[in-house]
């Protein structure tokens, strides 16, 4: 590791607090500070890098990765249990829509309180938005439900026009509920941000802000290696990041134990193992979302500014789910308890976390009117086309068209 900075500790702490503190301009009429748009996780860690003696990137990405693992597992549990809770005889709406609304509602809150989350820990912000919200919602399962309605896989006694209406009902209802929950979450987030700013950022003359005192406590000694223990690495992280590392590592260890000791929950526990894999793949694909200078120079002008990373994740996850849906018929894979557990875990865990409706809805709301409509339409048409090519052709030519798992 390169030699750490030898500047006086008090000077370094003061400079870091000024660097990570968000500007707060007091509003004369209300006394509530106005929050500027927060920096991204990468920018926050990059700017703070020089205070750690320019340590390599891998030394401060552990909190982000383990936060994604921890919150991804939590998202899988929430989605699976919400779906089971609202699945009953003659339900008014299909059960998955509740998970989509919960994830989008939390995403809306995070969009308006992002500055507060970044002040405590950029890894916490990434874990909640990309890990939790992205894993509660799923794009691939939504598209599979729409495909089943479009092609009447349940063999209902109605016409093809009714099939079309059924598929459009699934698409329209989920999109409307997701966008409505996102907007409701943004409204709640705005109120929470005002409360945070008022109670944690307002001060008396001559006293530091309460949130600044919290940050000082969390950052004290975290970014600067002293004369003792620097080689061990405890000084690389904040207290919040260290808590995320411990909790994330514990969840990784606990999931295989649950698989071994609780046979009745293996479909869920195996999904807990596969879910973080899908989340990490989506997180890496999100690096191709704007702004991306390398990709910007190599794509057509019409695609510049489009979230291609999220689009690729949703399409890829839908393709994998289509293959899993075929394997669940028992023609290729001999049906057994183990194979059905694994296939269900791939569908709920890997595909469910690789694809996301919360980020998709946030991007649709952020794009312009024409670009948002084009992005949403292309995403839906592309995934439905792959479901038709993979599942449609297979079930049309196969003698088995129902799932046995």
């Amino acid at each position: 590791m390169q030699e750490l900075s030898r500047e006086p500790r008090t000077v370094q702490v003061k400079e870091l607090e000024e660097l990570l503190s968000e500007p707060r301009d007091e509003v004369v009429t209300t006394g509530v500070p106005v929050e500027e748009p927060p920096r991204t996780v990468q920018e926050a860690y990059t700017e703070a890098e020089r205070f750690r003696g320019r340590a390599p990137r891998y030394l401060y990405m552990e909190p982000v990765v383990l936060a994604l693992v921890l919150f991804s597992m939590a998202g899988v549990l929430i989605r699976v249990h919400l779906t089971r809770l609202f699945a009953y005889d003659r339900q008014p709406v299909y059960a998955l829509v509740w998970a989509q609304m919960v994830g989008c509602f939390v995403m809306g809150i995070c969009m308006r309180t992002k500055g507060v989350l970044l002040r405590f820990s950029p890894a916490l912000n990434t874990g909640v938005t990309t890990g939790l919200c992205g894993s509660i919602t799923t794009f691939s399962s939504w598209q599979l439900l729409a495909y089943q309605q479009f092609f009447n896989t349940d063999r209902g006694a109605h016409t093809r026009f009714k099939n079309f209406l059924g598929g459009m009902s699934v698409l329209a209802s989920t999109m409307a509920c997701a966008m409505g929950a996102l907007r409701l979450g943004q409204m709640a987030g705005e109120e929470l941000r005002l409360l945070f700013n008022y109670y944690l950022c307002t001060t008396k003359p001559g006293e530091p802000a309460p949130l600044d005192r919290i940050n000082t406590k969390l950052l004290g000694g975290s970014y600067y290696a002293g004369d003792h223990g620097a080689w061990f690495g405890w000084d690389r992280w904040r207290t919040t990041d260290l808590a995320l590392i411990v909790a994330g590592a514990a969840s990784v260890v606990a999931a295989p134990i649950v698989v071994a000791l609780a046979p009745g929950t293996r479909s869920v526990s195996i999904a807990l193992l596969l879910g973080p894999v899908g989340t990490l793949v989506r997180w890496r694909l999100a690096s191709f979302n704007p702004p991306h200078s390398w990709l910007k120079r190599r794509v057509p002008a019409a695609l510049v500014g489009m979230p291609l990373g999220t689009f690729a994740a949703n399409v890829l996850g839908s393709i994998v789910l289509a293959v899993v849906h075929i394997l669940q018929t028992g023609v290729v894979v001999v049906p057994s308890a183990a194979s059905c557990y694994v296939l269900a875990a791939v569908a709920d865990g890997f595909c469910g976390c690789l694809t996301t409706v919360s980020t998709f809805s946030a991007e649709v709301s952020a794009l312009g009117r024409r670009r948002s409509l084009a992005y949403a339409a292309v995403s839906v048409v592309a995934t439905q086309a792959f479901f038709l090519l993979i599942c449609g052709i297979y079930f049309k030519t196969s003698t088995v068209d129902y799932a046995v798992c």
Side-chain angles (χ1 to χ4, degrees):
M1 183 183 297
Q2 300 182 9
E3 185 179 358
L4 298 173
S5 176
R6 298 299 183 184
E7 298 182 15
R9 180 182 177 83
T10 56
V11 176
Q12 287 186 340
V13 172
K14 182 178 179 181
E15 291 182 357
L16 181 63
E17 290 176 355
E18 294 176 354
L19 176 66
L20 294 182
S21 297
E22 297 175 71
R24 297 191 302 273
D25 299 329
E26 298 293 336
V27 179
V28 178
T29 57
T30 62
V32 178
V34 178
E35 190 180 63
E36 292 189 358
R39 57 174 68 91
T40 62
V41 175
Q42 290 78 7
E43 291 173 348
Y45 278 124
T46 301
E47 290 178 358
E49 185 179 13
R50 61 190 180 93
F51 294 99
R52 290 191 298 273
R54 300 188 182 279
R57 179 182 178 86
Y58 68 86
L59 292 182
Y60 55 92
M61 291 309 291
E62 295 98 328
V64 177
V65 173
L66 289 176
L68 287 172
V69 172
L70 174 64
F71 285 103
S72 175
M73 290 183 176
V76 171
L77 286 175
I78 293 173
R79 170 163 42 85
V80 170
H81 287 289
L82 278 177
T83 304
R84 292 181 179 180
L85 177 64
F86 288 98
Y88 51 88
D89 188 31
R90 298 185 180 182
Q91 56 192 22
V93 294
Y94 63 96
L96 185 62
V97 73
W98 291 99
Q100 313 284 35
M101 289 193 294
V102 170
C104 291
F105 178 77
V106 178
M107 174 64 81
I109 294 177
C110 294
M111 291 173 65
R112 291 296 183 262
T113 59
K114 184 177 180 181
V116 177
L117 293 175
L118 285 176
R119 290 175 72 95
F120 283 101
S121 170
L124 178 63
N125 176 76
T126 304
V128 174
T129 54
T130 304
L132 181 64
C133 300
S135 299
I136 293 176
T137 62
T138 171
F139 188 89
S140 56
S141 298
W142 170 38
Q143 294 302 307
L144 176 60
L145 289 174
Y147 160 79
Q148 292 173 338
Q149 291 295 323
F150 277 127
F151 294 93
N152 193 19
T153 58
D154 292 336
R155 302 192 176 209
H158 45 71
T159 62
R160 293 182 178 179
F161 181 68
K162 299 295 184 179
N163 298 345
F164 173 78
L165 292 181
M168 292 303 299
S169 298
V170 173
L171 294 177
S173 60
T174 300
M175 198 67 196
C177 291
M179 297 300 294
L182 182 73
R183 179 54 187 156
L184 186 61
Q186 290 175 342
M187 295 169 61
E190 290 172 357
E191 297 299 324
L192 290 175
R193 184 179 62 180
L194 292 177
L195 292 175
F196 284 139
N197 285 341
Y198 182 78
Y199 288 105
L200 297 180
C201 296
T202 55
T203 64
K204 296 180 180 180
E207 293 185 3
L211 191 54
D212 287 336
R213 291 198 297 268
I214 295 175
N215 283 342
T216 302
K217 182 178 180 181
L218 293 176
L219 295 174
S222 299
Y223 279 139
Y224 318 104
D227 296 331
H228 61 282
W231 61 273
F232 194 73
W234 289 107
D235 289 337
R236 293 197 301 260
W237 300 303
R238 316 182 194 197
T239 306
T240 308
D241 292 342
L242 187 59
L244 291 173
I245 290 173
V246 173
S251 63
V252 173
V253 175
I257 297 176
V258 174
V259 173
L261 300 181
T265 62
R266 282 180 179 172
S267 61
V268 178
S269 54
I270 297 176
L272 293 180
L273 291 174
L274 299 180
V277 178
T279 300
L280 292 173
V281 173
R282 172 164 49 84
W283 177 56
R284 296 310 303 166
L285 288 174
S287 62
F288 293 100
N289 290 339
H292 192 288
S293 57
W294 177 86
L295 192 63
K296 183 178 180 180
R297 298 190 299 267
R298 289 167 174 79
V299 298
L303 298 179
V304 174
M306 300 294 285
L308 300 179
T310 305
F311 173 80
N314 285 338
V315 172
L316 177 62
S318 299
I319 292 174
V320 175
L321 183 60
V323 176
V324 170
H325 185 58
I326 290 177
L327 296 178
Q328 288 177 327
T329 60
V331 175
V332 181
V333 177
V334 178
S336 64
S339 63
C340 289
Y341 283 149
V342 173
L343 290 174
V346 172
D348 293 333
F350 180 76
C351 298
C353 293
L354 177 57
T355 62
T356 174
V357 170
S358 58
T359 304
F360 172 76
S361 301
E363 291 165 347
V364 169
S365 65
L367 293 172
R369 181 177 58 189
R370 293 183 179 178
R371 293 172 68 85
S372 63
L373 291 175
Y375 172 57
V378 172
S379 298
V380 171
V381 171
T383 52
Q384 288 299 312
F386 280 110
F387 272 112
L388 175 61
L389 290 174
I390 298 173
C391 295
I393 295 177
Y394 173 80
F395 289 132
K396 191 71 174 177
T397 59
S398 175
T399 58
V400 178
D401 59 354
Y402 55 89
V404 296
C405 287

